[in-house]
Amino acid sequence: IVNQPVTTDEVIHKSTVEVDELYKLEAFMPSKNTNVIAYVLVIHGGAWRSGGRHDFSHTHAQWAKKGIAVFAAEYGLAP
C-alpha cells in the first residue's frame, strides 16, 4: 500500500493501493472538514484496450470537493 497523503485545496488525495503494476485503487477523499455524502467506485471505460484510472482524476477531485469519496480502479488491459 502506498499511503502518502497529498492535500490540494479542499481535497485529500489519500492513497493508492497497489496489488501489482496492473491492479490499483486510488482514493480521492473530501477534506476532514467535509462530511462524506456518497461513496463512488469508478471503473474506467475503454473496451479493455485503453484508458486508466487517471483519465478522470480532475473530475474525481471535483467530486471529492463536493463531499463524495471516489475510488478509481485500475485493471489490466487486453494484449
Side-chain angles (χ1 to χ4, degrees):
I1 296 176
V2 178
N3 194 4
Q4 299 173 332
V6 177
T7 304
T8 337
D9 296 333
E10 304 96 38
V11 176
I12 296 173
H13 173 188
K14 188 173 182 183
S15 63
T16 300
V17 177
E18 185 173 331
V19 176
D20 63 29
E21 75 179 51
L22 295 179
Y23 303 100
K24 299 174 184 155
L25 184 69
E26 191 164 53
F28 290 81
M29 302 295 292
S31 73
K32 293 179 182 175
N33 300 327
T34 305
N35 290 330
V36 176
I37 59 172
Y39 296 86
V40 176
L41 173 62
V42 177
I43 302 171
H44 68 85
W48 298 97
R49 293 177 293 182
S50 64
R53 73 182 193 284
H54 296 296
D55 291 351
F56 298 99
S57 291
H58 180 73
T59 301
H60 302 158
Q62 292 300 315
W63 290 352
K65 286 180 183 179
K66 296 177 189 269
I68 300 169
V70 181
F71 301 91
E74 184 81 54
Y75 54 85
L77 301 176

